[in-house]
Amino acid sequence: MRKNASITLLSVGHACVDVYQGAVASLVPFFVAERAYDYAAVSGVVLAASLLSSVVQPLFGALTDRWPMPWLLPAGMLLGGLGVALSGVSGSYALTLAFVALSGVGVAAYHPESARVARLVAGGSGHRAMGWFSLGGNLGFATAPLLVTTVVAGGGLALTPLLVLPALVGSVLCVPVLRALERRQPPGPGAAVTTGGDDKASFVKLSLAVVCRSIVFIGLGTFISLYAKERMAGSTAAGTAALLVLYLGGAVGSVLGGALADRWDRVTVCRWSCLVTVGSVAGVVFVPGPALYLFVAATSIGLYVPFSLQVTLGQDYLPSRVGTAGGITLGLAVSIGGLVSPLIGCVADATSLRTALAPLVLMPALGWLLFRTLPEPVPPSRSGTVTPVPGGDSAVAASPTRPDHR
């Protein structure tokens, strides 16, 4: 199977599994309308989807560093779909939390191994290929509001079992890619995309920057539909449109990030995207009227330009443990933003939603400060070791050639 075909199928599969990350936030207005959940209660639902994913995803990454587990791709999809499908079948709040937590575990199982497989299929670096792979996930997020509204609006939460269909489709599509990769790759440890020295300090700083991004994205993803509804005179359609814009902007940002990284280094692109996001988040919170949608789109693009770049940066900072790197940059650091959602909900219940969202402006500014301290790593070759140094250059030891990262 050709590389482009494999990346396309992986991207579609990524869309199918990330539907379930977007679906949880998309179900929030229906939980409010049908079950009278308050802000704190819906924040708990998002937390349940994020908490286990935050803890478990690095564990799955560590396992895939020792043993290849390509079966986690279809299995994770099916588990993620099953949890969301069951979340609406019972009026019990405890069962709802349990089902969305189950979905979170499935999503956690999928991502570290899928990032390893995508990097192998892309040929090691492949910023554009990884950008297209990330695009699939963003399209999944973007499709979630439309899918959930189409399924649930007519018949209520009792129709959520129909939401398992994307998982069934995605699990089938990834099988030919895994078979082709199995024929290409000899049996052995699952981590070996590259080898070289680990830069743990840079990886920690990168992870903190990803946490800052996550807090903004999950905070807005949880409350933007309710916030837009408040700003647009109580229109449910206005809230759904805002959530859709948030996710579609992410699709644009993912592809744009890969293209920009081919011209400038990844750290520079991430740093400038943080600056853009500071202004756009402020616009979302403080600028009145329909301009809200423009600022939501700009915020989403700014948050997603660095998304795939952060994944490959993490893999290059920890080249001996790319599964763990993927589990943290795609899992722990991303999902941990969900831990802040209940705090936002509590502040919103006590004051107003605008007041609760205002501190999100600070998060991309902190991300910018962290990226200012990071070096640009050269992906290490199999014959040598690359050590990132401040300023974006890298020293190569015991290697006859220096790979070009531009």
Side-chain angles (χ1 to χ4, degrees):
M1 180 177 292
R2 293 182 178 179
K3 180 175 76 172
N4 288 346
S6 295
I7 287 293
T8 298
L9 290 177
L10 286 173
S11 181
V12 174
H14 197 185
C16 290
V17 75
D18 276 7
V19 159
Y20 300 111
Q21 294 199 80
V24 175
S26 302
L27 286 167
V28 162
F30 297 98
F31 286 135
V32 171
E34 195 167 320
R35 299 180 180 176
Y37 289 172
D38 59 16
Y39 288 136
V42 296
S43 298
V45 172
V46 176
L47 175 62
S50 302
L51 184 59
L52 278 179
S53 182
S54 300
V55 175
V56 172
Q57 201 158 156
L59 299 179
F60 280 112
L63 289 174
T64 60
D65 281 336
R66 299 193 64 182
W67 304 284
M69 296 182 180
W71 54 267
L72 284 176
L73 273 66
M77 287 183 193
L78 292 173
L79 197 60
L82 183 64
V84 167
L86 295 175
S87 66
V89 299
S90 170
S92 166
Y93 185 67
L95 281 177
T96 299
L97 295 181
F99 287 138
V100 297
L102 179 69
S103 179
V105 172
V107 171
Y110 170 87
H111 276 99
E113 183 70 346
S114 69
R116 184 187 71 86
V117 169
R119 192 77 186 270
L120 287 171
V121 170
S125 181
H127 301 320
R128 286 181 184 268
M130 289 297 289
W132 285 105
F133 172 69
S134 298
L135 170 64
N138 301 328
L139 289 177
F141 268 105
T143 304
L146 294 177
L147 178 64
V148 169
T149 300
T150 300
V151 171
V152 179
L157 291 171
L159 293 182
T160 55
L162 294 176
L163 296 175
V164 77
L165 291 176
L168 297 176
V169 173
S171 62
V172 171
L173 291 178
C174 72
V175 171
V177 179
L178 299 181
R179 287 179 176 173
L181 189 63
E182 184 180 3
R183 289 191 294 267
R184 287 172 45 197
Q185 296 294 125
V193 171
T194 55
T195 58
D198 292 340
D199 184 355
K200 296 178 182 178
S202 292
F203 182 78
V204 169
K205 294 176 184 176
L206 173 70
S207 299
L208 291 174
V210 177
V211 167
C212 292
R213 174 209 169 275
S214 169
I215 290 172
V216 177
F217 186 78
I218 295 183
L220 290 179
T222 304
F223 295 106
I224 193 63
S225 60
L226 299 174
Y227 187 56
K229 185 177 178 180
E230 284 184 3
R231 297 276 294 273
M232 303 298 169
S235 169
T236 301
T240 300
L243 194 60
L244 179 61
V245 169
L246 181 70
Y247 294 159
L248 284 177
V252 174
S254 292
V255 176
L256 182 60
L260 292 174
D262 284 340
R263 178 159 185 165
W264 295 282
D265 65 75
R266 291 167 290 178
V267 172
T268 298
V269 173
C270 293
R271 188 165 60 236
W272 280 101
S273 70
C274 289
L275 281 181
V276 170
T277 307
V278 171
S280 60
V281 174
V284 169
V285 176
F286 298 112
V287 176
L292 167 75
Y293 295 105
L294 293 176
F295 286 109
V296 169
T299 296
S300 182
I301 293 172
L303 290 172
Y304 266 95
V305 160
F307 186 73
S308 65
L309 308 182
Q310 291 167 345
V311 175
T312 59
L313 279 170
Q315 291 173 332
D316 290 341
Y317 287 140
L318 292 184
S320 69
R321 289 177 286 176
V322 296
T324 300
I328 292 175
T329 55
L330 279 172
L332 179 62
V334 171
S335 301
I336 204 169
L339 302 179
V340 181
S341 292
L343 177 61
I344 296 175
C346 290
V347 173
D349 285 331
T351 56
S352 70
L353 196 48
R354 171 179 279 186
T355 301
L357 294 176
L360 296 182
V361 178
L362 299 176
M363 293 297 103
L366 292 176
W368 176 78
L369 291 174
L370 288 164
F371 274 113
R372 280 182 55 87
T373 68
L374 289 177
E376 171 66 26
V378 174
S381 68
R382 294 185 183 275
S383 58
T385 300
V386 175
T387 304
V389 296
D393 294 325
S394 300
V396 183
S399 176
T401 58
R402 172 174 175 164
D404 186 1
H405 71 284
R406 297 292 180 185

